[in-house]
Amino acid sequence: MRRDLVLRVASKFILPPIMLFALYVQFHGDYGPGGGFQAGVIAAAAIILYGLVNGLARAQKMVPQALLEVLMPSGVLIYAAVGVAGLMTGENYLGYDHLAHDAVHGQEWGVFLVEAGVFLTVFSSMIAIFYAFAGRRRS
Amino acid sequence: MNLITGLMADATNIATIFLMVAGLYVVIARGNMVKKLVGLSLFQSSVYLLYLLPGKILGGSAPILDPKLTVYANPLPHVLILTAIVVGIGTLALGLTLVVRIKEAYGTFEEDEIIARDGAKAGEQGDVA
Amino acid sequence: MMDPAFAEQAITLVILLLLAAVTVGIVRVRGLFAAVVLLGAYSFLMATLFVVLDAVDVAMTEASVGAGISTVLFLGALYLTDTKEATGKARELAPLAVAAITAAVLIWGMSDLPEFGSADQPIHAKGADYLARSLPDTGIPNVVTSVLASYRGFDTLGETTVVFTAGIGVLVLLRRRSGQGKS
């Protein structure tokens, strides 16, 4: 598998379009199908593809395990912090109406930040799960 | 035309029930733990179908608002099932991890053999005591 | 020109038949590798059906999660365990009976379910009208996103927490400890 030239070159070419598509799905989620979950899974799939073809060590050089362990909780924390920010501005928990100068802009900010938090957690959790399976030796 | 509309409700519901029952059968009948997880996935997908089928309106479109369109599918089941799918992959990953650990600890991932081994071990301990 | 409502029903029926065929394959096949690959095909068919049912967000998620990530995880687990399953077990009759009784009960309860694709079902008439509220409240045209992240933000917070918890659980269970020698 490691030596397969076609797969390695093809995976290198296909990696940037997949990442770009993930970003598109993330930021265009308000206007078309998509959002944090889908973007997170698609971006994770790009890294997993790279890891499957080029080996775990190369993938871990690109996205280190330590980074994943920081990103996993930070996504949930961003989400929860947006809720607390809603409380601070005199709304309910996870109420976004007062986050900006009017309700619609506040909602857009709230949804954007929440989706970013979802993206971080889903992306890093999926890759961490893949690393855990790929890094274990056969018994 | 009327015939197919009349058939459709029954056909979709029967298909959903078939998928659900097939998943249930695999979970009960097969002792292999990975196969059980495959059965659980089947069962789960049938529930997605059960939720999404009533939300559909014939001739409607996806719930992305546009001035040119008037009829949309109901968005609420979509949100619920989106959540269910993502939670499903989390539980699946955890289940597969447990299967890997069981295989490492017991040397097998067949339910019967694991129960037999546990029974034998319990019997040994009973003899000692 | 074919009537669009008729076309939607016909496509739904065909995909449901294909799904049933793949399901029979998954149930009957011996060998885990074939079952896992068939499950990937099943997920793709399911995603196609979701597109026909106008659930584009769900279809995208099912295609990337069900057919992509979960197949990779299954194959990883098979690599770490075994691709063969034990054959020749006597347990056939009882599970079949349980499945048949469950199916009978479900089909019996099915008679009250509403018609497929009609607009005057309770699901469309009752409840919060997110379709009308989304644009004035949030300015987001994709109603699924606005319901997911704004109206039902608590659900999504819980869901993100579940993904996080699952990731932690897998890391804890599969991490190699430095002192742990492999036999």
Side-chain angles (χ1 to χ4, degrees), chain C residues 54-88:
Chain C
D54 293 336
V56 280
D57 287 84
V58 186
M60 199 178 221
T61 316
E62 175 72 16
S64 54
V65 170
I69 303 276
S70 74
T71 308
V72 171
L73 291 184
F74 264 120
L75 291 180
L78 287 188
Y79 172 74
L80 290 174
T81 53
D82 201 354
T83 55
K84 285 190 212 67
E85 64 173 315
T87 49

Side-chain angles (χ1 to χ4, degrees), chain A residues 2 13-14 16-17 38 47 49 63 66 76 85 96 98-99 101 103 106-107 111 114 133-134:
Chain A
R2 287 277 179 87
F13 271 109
I14 210 168
Q38 294 89 336
I47 308 291
L49 174 72
V63 184
V76 180
Y96 314 136
H98 297 164
L99 288 180
H101 55 89
Q107 290 283 344
V111 170
V114 157
F133 273 91

Side-chain angles (χ1 to χ4, degrees), chain B residues 25 30 65 74 101 110 112, chain C residues 27 86 89 92 123 141 173:
Chain B
Y25 173 79
R30 297 300 180 83
L65 301 172
N74 195 321
R101 291 303 301 257
E110 300 286 339
D112 309 349
Chain C
V27 173
K89 285 283 168 295
E92 283 291 328
I123 182 174
L173 283 169

Side-chain angles (χ1 to χ4, degrees), chain B residues 69-120:
Chain B
L69 301 169
T70 50
V71 182
Y72 303 100
N74 195 321
L76 192 55
H78 300 187
V79 177
L80 300 178
I81 294 311
L82 211 63
T83 310
I85 291 178
V86 178
V87 170
I89 184 75
T91 52
L92 177 72
L94 211 53
L96 286 172
T97 310
L98 288 172
V99 171
V100 169
R101 291 303 301 257
I102 287 172
K103 167 82 175 175
E104 283 175 2
Y106 285 83
T108 175
F109 57 152
E110 300 286 339
E111 198 183 40
D112 309 349
E113 294 168 25
I114 291 169
I115 292 172
R117 278 188 85 184
D118 277 354

